[in-house]
Every structure is written in structure tokens, then in C-alpha cells.
Amino acid sequence: MDKLVIIPTYNEKENIAAIIAAVMNLPLGFHVLIIDDGSPDGTAAIVKDLMQTTYSGRLHIIERAGKLGLGTAYITGFKWAIEHKYDYIFEMDADFSHPPKDLLRLYDACSKGADMAVGSRYVDGKISVVNWPIGRVMMSYYASSYVRLVTGMKIGDATAGFACYTRKVLETIKLDKIKFIGYAFQIEMKYTVHKLGFRIEEVPIIFTDRVLGQSKMSMKIFKEAFFGVFSLRFR
């Protein structure tokens, strides 16, 4: 019981059973923790049924009242993982944009010495994204370039939401001090890991835009990430 995949959800009934099955069917015995923000579409009910009928002891859920933000969902999951003594803690989306099989590669990187492994869309100048409009690809790619310029981090995909942390890293970070709740959370976590002197390794992945369900990206989330980078650098 040493590997936990945390998946935040809001209205993911089209994807949730399939993504859980994809993770559970991998070798190495991953556990899954769903953090559901009061999905009105019945996502939590699907998870709880699978907990009872198929994945007893390996599938877990924390239900929250309403949309409280991606960052707070992961912080809740990180604290739960530390409390339950998991050694490798993963972040992953529910919509198959992150290839489940690449959890094995993230784990391999951390088990061989990395403190954090990042599933990266942008390595050595290459862009590995499928089904995104060119405008969003460019926005994401240059956002990571902007983050590197401001923070000094040498990470190709600073906004990536597919990652593995060792428990040592999450126990060292003061999780209650993490400020951002949208996608800027991903930047803040990497920057914090970087500033604490831990080793971050990027693992190239192919990111595929969701087919089912709706994206949670908004202009408010984008603005938080864009303007928040300066506050990270000079905090």
C-alpha cells in the first residue's frame, strides 16, 4: 500500500468508472482517492458503488460541499495520503488527458531517485499535445516559458497537472501555506519543491484533450496563473 493516485472530480460521470478501471488494471497495485466537489451529475455515487462492488480497500472518496478549487482538492488529498502513510502520491485528471499507463513511468522516476516526477508535454522544445486547438497549445507552451523566465525554474511544463511526489516532499512542504487554488497551484507546488532543493525530473508524455465531459478551464483560472507567478518569485 505505497502508491496513491489522487483524482479531483466535478461532473465526471462519463469518465470516472473508466479512469478508475484504467488505473486499477495497471501492475504495481495503485490505490485511488477521488476528491469530489459535490458533483450534481452523480459522479460520487458511481465511485461509492465501485468501492463496494469492485475495488474494496483500494478505492477511496472524500466528498466536499461544492466547487472549492483544484488546489484545495489536492491539498486535502495530500494530507489524507500522508496520514495513511503512502510513499508515492500522484496527481491525475479524470478525463484521460493524462495517459494512465504513464503512472508507471512517473513511479519509476521517483523510485530511482527523483523527489518529484512531472508528466511533461514540453521536453527539449518538443510539443506533445493531441486534439488541442493551436491557440491553446501556444498559450500553454508560452505560459511555461513565462514561468521559467520569472521564477528561474528549468522545467519545460510548469503548469502540468500529472505528477508524482514522494511522501518526504509533501511532508516537508507547509501545505497550509500553499496559496493558489486554480491551475496556478501546479506552478506554486513545483516552485516550492524547487526552492526546497528537491530533485524534479520530467517524464515526456503525450497529452490528449478530453473527449467526454467539459473542461474546467476559465479566464479567471488563467489570470490567477499569469499574475500569480510574480507573487511567487518575490514572495
Side-chain angles (χ1 to χ4, degrees), residues 109-163:
C110 283
S111 68
K112 291 180 178 177
D115 298 301
M116 179 184 186
V118 177
S120 178
R121 298 163 289 188
Y122 316 120
V123 176
D124 297 329
K126 298 177 182 177
I127 301 175
S128 299
V129 177
V130 177
N131 291 341
W132 259 11
I134 189 63
R136 189 166 179 187
V137 172
M138 291 297 98
M139 181 178 72
S140 174
Y141 180 80
Y142 286 111
S144 285
S145 300
Y146 164 72
V147 172
R148 289 196 300 274
L149 177 66
V150 174
T151 66
M153 286 194 297
K154 299 185 184 301
I155 297 177
D157 194 352
T159 62
F162 190 32

Side-chain angles (χ1 to χ4, degrees), residues 100-115:
K101 62 183 176 58
D102 285 337
L103 289 167
L104 301 173
R105 298 171 62 225
L106 296 178
Y107 169 74
D108 187 60
C110 283
S111 68
K112 291 180 178 177
D115 298 301

Side-chain angles (χ1 to χ4, degrees), residues 174-204:
K174 295 178 180 179
L175 295 173
D176 288 331
K177 298 291 187 180
I178 298 298
K179 177 180 178 182
F180 297 122
I181 62 173
Y183 284 89
F185 165 82
Q186 303 293 1
I187 302 170
E188 183 174 10
M189 286 296 295
K190 293 177 186 66
Y191 186 63
T192 303
V193 174
H194 164 73
K195 292 297 288 184
L196 288 170
F198 287 111
R199 177 186 160 198
I200 302 174
E201 181 174 331
E202 289 192 89
V203 175

Side-chain angles (χ1 to χ4, degrees), residues 33-91:
L33 172 63
I34 304 298
I35 311 289
D36 187 70
D37 272 7
S39 298
D41 71 345
T43 297
I46 295 171
V47 175
K48 288 187 283 189
D49 179 66
L50 291 171
M51 288 170 62
Q52 295 176 2
T53 61
T54 311
Y55 304 115
S56 177
R58 293 179 61 197
L59 178 59
H60 312 277
I61 188 170
I62 295 175
E63 295 181 79
R64 308 196 304 171
K67 295 181 70 174
L68 301 177
L70 181 75
T72 64
Y74 276 125
I75 295 299
T76 297
F78 293 159
K79 290 179 177 179
W80 191 94
I82 292 169
E83 179 184 348
H84 289 81
K85 308 296 184 185
Y86 287 92
D87 294 319
Y88 301 92
I89 300 96
F90 300 78
E91 299 179 345

